[in-house]
Amino acid sequence: APLVNGIVDRFEAVGLRVAGPRRGAAQLEGSKVFAKDFMQRHRIPTARYRSYGDAGAAMEALRCGEYEFPVVVKADGLAAGKGVLICQDLRESLYAIRLVMEERKFGAAGDRVVIEEFLEGEEVSFMVFTDGNRVLSMVPSQDHKAIYDGDKGPNTGGMGAYSVDWILDQEIRHQVMKEIIEATIQGMASDGYPFAGILYAGLMLTSDGPKVLEFNVRFGDPETQVILTRLNSDLLEIFWSIAEGKLNPSEVRWLEDATVCIVMAASGYPGPYEKGMPIRGIEKAASKSHTEVFQAGTSIRENILVSNGGRVLGVTS
Ligand code: GLY
């Protein structure tokens, strides 16, 4: 949200160093319609789609059989990772449109929707550092989105992640860098939105090659927990060189280890959940070698650590 609202522009305006995309470039994540139109214009592989600013028109298209099910309905704007609904049939898709555009479940994010083809395959989160010219890839990771075991239940922001090099073999990684990442950085520059910072491509490895599910303009959560624990360089130096426009490949080195993060969430998430539940045992868990417990939805009340969000802890090893 700060990037989409222009924090980088504000820092630059007063001469402060900052590593991230400006407001215009952050639209890649801030608007699904912007991202899809951009990808179509620059022939970056992604699911077929149409966008609608009117619930009636979207419902009419669904009823008229313009889509094959399942379809994916996406709220246009930021929705804390919850604005993507996979719909198995007409009834579910009409309900999704009603929820997003009429009941305004995600507020102004539902002014417009994208309806797109459902892609099948293995999902991979692929992130890069870029200063707008040079692009350096991070190690790949895989995020686990469904709330329950066995890929069941509604999508969340991510219930866990792991990172290991073989998630993306060299050949596909090369293809992703060329056809997706570099095409995006070049396309954004030529559209007048030079992109610096972290670009995250959520990919589906389909039988027809890798396709973009979504872009984020930041680190992923919980992917960051498994990626940065493999970073064997100083993150501040990387950010500094992005801010200076001088990203240097020798600054970004990775460990070969495999890492995993399990998210502990509040009961009820991604629906309504309780806050303020006391948390104990973090020190004990974190005292194990190669283990860190990252805190997300936590807070301190009267000197006691308590839960304060849906996704509370990221136990990473
Ligand atoms: N884990 C997905 C995200 O950060 O958007």
Side-chain angles (χ1 to χ4, degrees):
L3 293 166
V4 169
N5 291 330
I7 195 170
V8 169
D9 313 52
R10 296 284 286 272
F11 268 56
E12 286 180 349
V14 293
L16 291 171
R17 285 221 166 74
V18 62
R22 295 186 190 127
R23 183 187 194 126
Q27 290 180 91
L28 262 190
E29 175 167 359
S31 166
K32 304 268 188 236
V33 176
F34 176 93
K36 295 295 289 190
D37 291 350
F38 169 82
M39 285 187 271
Q40 189 175 53
R41 214 168 38 249
H42 292 278
R43 297 176 191 281
I44 294 166
T46 189
R48 286 191 303 263
Y49 77 104
R50 278 180 61 193
S51 60
Y52 303 87
D54 175 70
M59 289 182 179
E60 183 61 20
L62 287 161
R63 282 200 193 95
C64 288
E66 285 182 26
Y67 293 90
E68 265 176 51
F69 293 99
V71 291
V72 183
V73 172
K74 295 178 168 179
D76 179 45
L78 296 181
K82 296 173 205 155
V84 174
L85 304 157
I86 297 164
C87 310
Q88 299 299 336
D89 52 32
L90 178 63
R91 190 182 60 85
E92 284 186 16
S93 64
L94 295 176
Y95 176 70
I97 299 292
R98 204 157 44 239
L99 202 70
V100 174
M101 300 193 86
E102 293 181 347
E103 292 174 20
R104 314 294 281 178
K105 166 103 175 152
F106 309 109
D111 283 350
R112 293 187 291 177
V113 291
V114 167
I115 303 181
E116 70 177 32
E117 165 197 27
F118 176 80
L119 295 179
E120 265 176 291
E122 206 49 38
E123 230 179 293
V124 174
S125 304
F126 190 70
M127 282 164 240
V128 299
F129 295 112
T130 177
D131 61 8
N133 289 312
R134 199 184 276 275
V135 181
L136 297 177
S137 64
M138 299 189 210
V139 287
S141 63
Q142 217 171 18
D143 174 21
H144 192 89
K145 291 237 168 54
I147 182 76
Y148 303 126
D149 288 353
D151 240 349
K152 301 263 170 14
N155 268 0
T156 66
M159 295 304 292
Y162 70 98
S163 172
V164 64
D165 285 342
W166 51 251
I167 292 174
L168 264 191
D169 66 36
Q170 279 304 332
E171 198 182 320
I172 299 184
R173 199 186 289 213
H174 186 74
Q175 186 183 1
V176 168
M177 279 300 277
K178 197 161 167 284
E179 293 175 12
I180 294 175
I181 302 292
E182 284 165 14
T184 300
I185 304 293
Q186 283 161 14
M188 289 295 280
S190 69
D191 285 359
Y193 300 113
F195 190 101
I198 290 152
L199 179 65
Y200 165 137
L203 305 173
M204 188 66 91
L205 305 182
T206 72
S207 54
D208 200 21
K211 295 190 180 178
V212 177
L213 291 174
E214 64 173 2
F215 284 120
N216 293 322
V217 299
R218 52 168 173 86
F219 281 117
D221 178 10
E223 292 95 323
T224 310
Q225 290 87 315
V226 289
I227 289 175
L228 291 190
T229 41
R230 294 187 59 194
L231 181 66
N232 198 16
S233 311
D234 185 340
L235 186 61
L236 179 62
E237 278 177 20
I238 298 172
F239 284 157
W240 195 266
S241 59
I242 291 173
E244 301 239 289
K246 292 181 187 153
L247 192 57
N248 178 350
S250 68
E251 265 166 18
V252 184
R253 291 176 305 275
W254 301 98
L255 299 170
E256 282 183 12
D257 310 13
T259 48
V260 63
C261 169
I262 309 278
V263 169
M264 293 186 72
S267 171
Y269 173 79
Y273 53 81
E274 227 182 285
K275 290 184 182 174
M277 290 174 283
I279 300 168
R280 293 183 208 90
I282 289 196
E283 298 76 16
K284 190 167 165 212
S287 69
K288 298 216 186 311
S289 63
H290 304 294
T291 300
E292 296 207 40
V293 180
F294 293 104
Q295 297 186 29
T298 64
S299 158
I300 293 179
R301 281 196 210 150
E302 294 166 5
N303 276 330
I304 296 175
L305 184 69
V306 294
S307 67
N308 193 39
R311 292 187 293 165
V312 181
L313 303 172
V315 184
T316 306
S317 202

